[in-house]
Amino acid sequence: MGDHASEMRQERIWFWGLAAAAIIARIFAFNSYSAHAPDEIIQYLEQAHRIVFGYGVVPWEFREFIRSWLIPLMLVPPMQLGEWLDPGGQLYLVLPRAMVAALNFAPVAAAWVIGRRISLQHAIVGMAVVGIWVESVAFSVQTLSESLGVAAFLTAAALLHSKARQPAVVAAGALLALTVLFRFQFGPAAALFGAMMAGRDWRIWQGLILGGLPVVIAGGLIDISMGLTPYEWIANNYRLNIAEGKMRAIAGDPQPLRYLLYLIESWQWALPVIPLLLLAGWRRHKALLAAALVNLILHQMIGHKEYRYIWLSVQSFLLLAAFGSVDLLRLVFRRNPAGTAATATLVAGWAAVSLLLSLSPVHRDAFRTDNDPARMAASAIRQPTTCGLAVPRRRYWQFGYSLLHQDKPLFLLGDEGTVTRSNPGAVTQGFNAMLIYGSDRPPPAPWFRQTCSGQDLPLERTCLYVRLGGCRVDESNRHYLIQQAMLGADM
């Protein structure tokens, strides 16, 4: 009895200790202004901002209806609550992003549940990897459909097994359907996973259908409420991006090795080790491996490639590699391989690798940046003397109204052509504050530099230039306003 109580106490210590470490890592990584991809600002936060505050830009994805309104609508309640609690402050932005980060914590607990069905040691190491691995932390604090999709998928995987009770199976079916709503490209992976877990068990099939059907209906009702035909956005997405090749035109020629290069950039010197651990652990959850491979193959066939697209695959591979590291430890060290010291050493090894990778420029710059340009632009446009602001065109998504939070004229200026940030000409009458990259030539008088950020990166170090006087928006500069500029460039 005493041994059992001791084991339970040790299990609780490990679980809550790892949960605390994962939460601390995410608090450190959380940044309400950061963005791993334009989607989280322009397609999600910006659209929620339009609903709550009545102004914002409409990107081509929502003009052509190739995105579900699910995520923007999810962000509306916390964004509205933030404004009520802190009128004119930053809670309107912090709360929705914090809500998403909280939802994205689900895979940490899911990893424990999945591993616990094997052993306590598999649960501990699996939870540690999902909880503190650099990419797991980085993606979990971003407002991305991929992160939310993985959170729903792995939670379903935690609930779904051959002996699961029917309510758990129904919940897993709902979560698998939600995975597809968050990112429909995850559909084949989610479907294969559900089919492999159900097999010939009609009870599980019935539960998955009972759980998934209401979510599918709810997704259609969301589309109808926003003036769309149910799931019209999926058909439009395929037609424009695949059939008509819009994404290929944006991204250029397909790069067959792009995902391999992403893994080399991200895992660096750890790359040779993780596949070996995956080979050792894949048998622990064959359905999870199959879903990860199908998702990877599907996205490999699509010309436009971004690392976040295969996050479901990468997170699944990392979890199975964590299980594989436990199996290898038991194979190599036969003397008490499941003891506390061995487990702690394995967790410490994964943590050390993650920490070292997090210090590399790839993870420091690509996954978590302070986004000084957006912060400086928000500070500038909120000044009472600012009647209009011009920002760099190339990274337009850094300056959505969801970040600036002021209904004032916002202009996009490039760094080439007759009208540039360094030479705005007559367009300058539309604004009296302008953001310039550190690599740009300064604009002529009457502009004068007011302040600069401390970033050393040429595309992150920014300087604010201002001029005296007011602003006038007219036909000479109207087409440089952010919405008109995006329309003209089909952005």
Side-chain angles (χ1 to χ4, degrees):
M1 184 72 176
D3 289 342
H4 178 70
S6 176
E7 182 179 338
M8 291 297 294
R9 184 169 58 253
Q10 182 186 32
E11 184 170 341
R12 287 195 298 270
I13 291 172
W14 271 113
F15 178 85
W16 291 111
L18 290 172
I23 292 171
I24 291 170
R26 282 155 177 76
I27 290 174
F28 177 78
F30 182 81
N31 185 334
S32 56
Y33 277 87
S34 72
H36 175 67
D39 293 14
E40 45 189 321
I41 303 298
I42 294 297
Q43 296 185 33
Y44 304 136
L45 288 164
E46 189 78 1
Q47 305 319 305
H49 192 275
R50 283 204 298 132
I51 294 174
V52 174
F53 299 101
Y55 65 96
V57 298
V58 185
W60 76 270
E61 289 89 349
F62 279 88
R63 298 196 302 268
E64 299 286 350
F65 304 121
I66 71 164
R67 288 285 185 270
S68 167
W69 276 94
L70 172 61
I71 295 178
L73 290 176
M74 283 175 54
L75 301 175
V76 166
M79 186 173 285
Q80 181 66 77
L81 177 62
E83 179 64 15
W84 286 339
L85 295 176
D86 182 28
Q90 293 189 19
L91 266 186
Y92 82 93
L93 182 59
V94 172
L95 287 188
R97 302 202 73 168
M99 180 197 72
V100 173
L103 294 174
N104 287 339
F105 190 79
V108 179
W112 175 278
V113 175
I114 295 169
R116 195 65 185 88
R117 288 200 283 266
I118 307 171
S119 77
L120 175 59
Q121 194 175 32
H122 286 85
I124 292 169
V125 179
M127 184 178 185
V129 171
V130 176
I132 60 180
W133 184 258
V134 56
E135 296 163 303
S136 300
V137 174
F139 276 116
S140 71
V141 295
Q142 301 300 341
T143 309
L144 291 167
S145 62
E146 292 81 6
S147 299
L148 288 166
V150 170
F153 175 75
L154 283 183
T155 306
L159 293 172
L160 191 58
H161 57 96
S162 60
K163 297 180 181 180
R165 295 181 177 180
Q166 198 67 354
V169 177
V170 172
L175 286 165
L176 288 175
L178 190 60
T179 299
V180 183
L181 273 187
F182 281 135
R183 179 166 173 80
F184 76 89
Q185 293 89 341
F186 286 167
L192 177 63
F193 181 84
M196 288 185 67
M197 294 302 295
R200 297 180 180 180
D201 191 334
W202 172 243
R203 180 185 70 87
I204 294 181
W205 277 110
Q206 185 181 44
L208 291 177
I209 294 171
L210 286 174
L213 192 58
V215 176
V216 173
I217 294 173
L221 292 176
I222 288 174
D223 295 339
I224 292 172
S225 70
M226 301 307 291
L228 302 173
T229 301
Y231 297 101
E232 174 187 356
W233 54 276
I234 296 180
N236 289 343
N237 192 302
Y238 177 83
R239 174 177 58 83
L240 287 167
N241 282 332
I242 305 300
E244 298 181 11
K246 184 176 179 67
M247 289 312 300
R248 180 170 182 175
I250 294 174
D253 293 332
Q255 302 178 43
L257 300 179
R258 184 66 261 178
Y259 286 130
L260 176 60
L261 294 176
Y262 279 136
L263 289 174
I264 293 173
E265 292 169 2
S266 187
W267 291 352
Q268 300 171 44
W269 43 267
L271 180 63
V273 179
I274 295 176
L276 293 177
L277 299 177
L278 178 60
L279 285 174
W282 70 271
R283 291 179 180 83
R284 291 299 188 179
H285 207 311
K286 295 179 182 179
L288 194 61
L289 176 72
L293 289 174
V294 163
N295 184 67
L296 180 60
I297 292 169
L298 171 69
H299 285 87
Q300 178 64 29
M301 295 168 60
I302 300 173
H304 183 52
K305 296 176 173 61
E306 295 186 34
Y307 192 41
R308 60 193 171 99
Y309 294 169
I310 61 167
W311 178 233
L312 183 147
S313 302
V314 174
Q315 184 71 98
S316 300
F317 290 153
L318 286 167
L319 179 58
L320 293 174
F323 295 159
S325 68
V326 174
D327 293 340
L328 282 180
L329 180 73
R330 293 181 172 186
L331 184 65
V332 175
F333 299 100
R334 296 183 180 276
R335 184 178 180 180
N336 198 23
T340 302
T343 304
T345 301
L346 200 53
V347 169
W350 278 100
V353 173
S354 177
L355 178 61
L356 290 173
L357 289 176
S358 71
L359 298 175
S360 68
V362 169
H363 292 291
R364 188 173 65 248
D365 298 332
F367 284 97
R368 183 186 185 276
T369 61
D370 289 330
N371 203 357
D372 279 344
R375 288 183 181 274
M376 184 174 287
S379 177
I381 202 170
R382 290 174 186 175
Q383 295 298 318
T385 55
T386 301
C387 51
L389 174 69
V391 295
R393 177 189 179 94
R394 182 175 298 175
R395 293 194 173 189
Y396 71 96
W397 49 270
Q398 288 183 308
F399 309 105
Y401 281 106
S402 55
L403 299 184
L404 306 191
H405 200 44
Q406 286 289 311
D407 192 9
K408 295 180 181 179
L410 184 64
F411 294 81
L412 293 185
L413 296 185
D415 56 5
E416 57 185 29
T418 57
V419 174
T420 67
R421 293 186 297 275
S422 299
N423 183 30
V427 175
T428 194
Q429 66 186 348
F431 49 90
N432 62 355
M434 178 165 45
L435 216 60
I436 298 287
Y437 285 135
S439 57
D440 289 341
R441 289 188 299 105
W447 292 94
F448 61 93
R449 190 172 71 181
Q450 189 172 71
T451 184
C452 290
S453 69
Q455 289 281 359
D456 295 328
L457 298 173
L459 288 184
E460 285 297 323
R461 186 173 186 274
T462 48
C463 296
L464 175 65
Y465 283 79
V466 299
R467 66 168 177 81
L468 300 177
C471 307
R472 187 176 76 252
V473 177
D474 55 28
E475 293 305 316
S476 68
N477 54 35
R478 195 180 305 279
H479 56 288
Y480 288 97
L481 287 167
I482 184 169
Q483 185 65 78
Q484 280 70 21
M486 289 174 63
L487 284 168
D490 200 18
M491 294 190 296

